[in-house]
Amino acid sequence: MAELQRARMLIDLQNVTKVYSMGEVDVAALNGVNLSIRDGELISIMGPSGSGKSTLMNVIGCLDVPTSGRYVLEEQEVGSLRDNRLAEIRNRKIGFVFQTYNLLPRLTALANVQLPMLYGNGNNAKERALDALDRVGLADRASHRPAELSGGQQQRVGIARALAKQPSLLLADEPTGNLDSGSSEEILTILKGLNRDEGITVIIVTHEADIASQTHRIISMRDGVVVNDKNVVADQGGSE
Amino acid sequence: MSPLTVLITALSSLGSNKLRTGLALLGIVIGVAAVISTMAIGRGAQEVITSRIQSLGTNLLFVRPESTGQNTPSTLTLEDASALLDPVFSPSVAAVAPELSTFVRLVAGRENTFSQVVGVTPEYQFVRDYPVSSGQFISAVHVQNVSEVAVLGSQIAETLFGFRNPVGQNFRVNGRQFIVIGVLESKGGTSLGNLDNQVLVPITTVYYRLDSERMSTGDVTVQTINAQIRSLDEMDSSIQEIATVLRLRHRLSGDDDFTITSQQETIETLEETTQTFVIFLAAIAGISLLVGGIGIMNIMMVSVTERTREIGVRKAMGAKHRDILYQFVSEATLLSLGGGIVGAVLGVAVAMALDGRSLGGQTFQTGVSGDITLLAVTVAAVIGLFFGIYPAARAAALHPIDALRYE
Ligand SMILES: Nc1ncnc2c1ncn2[C@@H]1O[C@H](COP(=O)(O)OP(=O)(O)O)[C@@H](O)[C@H]1O
Ligand SMILES: [Mg+2]
């Protein structure tokens, strides 16, 4: 923990709001979020449905910009950036893991993992993709299409895809939401391993308390604001 | 994204929905094939016409009476024709062949048909290049004696007499008995009419025996004087000479009562006419190409909607606006380029298959042109590019979140 305190600041959100206008009415999905995250943290975000968890993940992941407030990612103010710069940041720094996997159905597992490398550094794309598949234990499924894989395997391909570009930040929005408990456990183990062994900052949105309890910090949200933010006392492997 | 990856991505996504890709191709394939084959047919027809007319000899001038109105008798006579041979006033005229034609009823045995008879002089054979394949041509004596003799085109000879040798046979022309003295070599059909269906008789015979309208002066009138000139280079001066002779003979001071046209002009006029026709056909074919382009746009719009989530995923992975734009534009262009190439192959195949076939008495001759083929394929690709831009721009403009949330 002490080590973490000294790690540099990765994410800093100050009074961030996100307002969606639905015709006449405006919906404030984020209503003044203040949050700091250091490099190498393993965090879970909890909260009821509609509390703004996904919106927060989208803002952090540079898929969307805040309506107001300040968002600094690795010393760079994101709010004022243009779409193409945001795309570059997503490509270089951020890996997404989706609840519904979002693999392209007509591509093989390998081609899916290579996808982010089409839009950035494409050197040794195949080797890096194979290596990423190997790290999630799917080296032997490289030529399979998503339809030929189980849900858990598809999600591991999704993680490999997020991983292959060596991101500094991995965002997983309900990554186990569609999985049985066995597969969920596998996925969580992989995500924890990436955080522990490679120092990747991992943020997991989850509804399940036992998943949250395995992370180092639990952020609770309600109605677009952070209502609770607590560090989990190291009960298992929390001390490196 | 490198151009190669763009290409591979586009190809693989086209390959993943083969039925749709095929359907999208179809419009362009048909359009391009239509353009290429119509142009080939048009070009072939033009070549046929030009070569046929040229085979008649380009150093021909046609002198015709100026039609001042209906039912006015012709102003040109046999005497006018002979006068053009004057070595002093019109030295550049090598030969003249006056003609006078009319429509008649022909009866031979049980065969009964209407046909054009052309009254000619012996010179016609050489000036218009009509060699006989059997028997003899009309002679000066026949013309002088107003003989009821005929030389038949090969086709009409077969119609009237079947496989019998026509030479020496009798047949009736408007009820008068004529004897066949010769048969012409086959010339084949042209768009000007089938020359093998002609019946040639002495010009005097047409005038005195078959034509109903006669001039009171007693001179034999003619419809056309074919004048062969010695050299093409002297075309203009030849026209001047002929005009001068005729003006003197007709004692004209004002407007001419005749016109002189050259073979060359006839070719040019006909070429212009066929050209216009071909362009008209090609324009229709071009419209089908355009419709093909709209078909591609349609398919691309569907494809963009269907792949909204894919676009969202790609954007989340760092695809920029232009990456998505290029992806869809290149798909549309590849589609239309592929369609263009398939269409070109099809069009050339159709043109080659039609070459030498006859349809309704006309023999197709087609001339496939590399330029037109290349142009059609290029236009197809450009059309795909053009019609691909809008759907691609729609795809590229999608917001990543909206695209990812799309069900
Ligand atoms: N693109 C959008 N347009 C309009 N409203 C949205 C949009 N995204 C989210 N919202 C609204 O914002 C609120 C927070 O949504 P979300 O962040 O998805 O919540 P959670 O992930 O915690 O369930 C909800 O009320 C939702 O309806
Ligand atoms: Mg959510």
Side-chain angles (χ1 to χ4, degrees), chain B residues 131-208:
Chain B
V132 288
S133 64
S134 66
Q136 59 167 114
F137 202 76
I138 287 150
S139 71
V141 176
H142 291 135
V143 175
Q144 188 140 34
N145 294 349
V146 196
S147 304
E148 301 189 324
V149 295
V151 177
L152 302 181
S154 56
Q155 180 91 45
I156 189 91
E158 204 183 306
T159 312
L160 292 177
F161 300 107
F163 296 111
R164 284 176 292 159
N165 181 6
V167 177
Q169 302 278 356
N170 288 318
F171 70 111
R172 288 186 175 274
V173 180
N174 283 0
R176 291 172 168 275
Q177 180 136 329
F178 276 62
I179 181 162
V180 179
I181 57 168
V183 177
L184 296 172
E185 275 181 14
S186 171
K187 287 224 159 195
T190 69
S191 25
L192 299 170
N194 196 338
L195 296 174
D196 293 338
N197 266 329
Q198 282 188 347
V199 176
L200 305 183
V201 301
I203 191 164
T204 47
T205 310
V206 173
Y207 185 73
Y208 290 114

Side-chain angles (χ1 to χ4, degrees), chain A residues 20-22 27-29 47-56 173-174 205, chain B residues 401-402 405:
Chain A
Y20 293 107
S21 46
M22 307 277 289
V27 180
S49 182
S51 57
K53 306 182 295 293
S54 295
T55 306
L56 179 62
D173 194 346
E174 302 192 36
V205 171
Chain B
I401 306 251
D402 296 337
R405 283 160 56 107

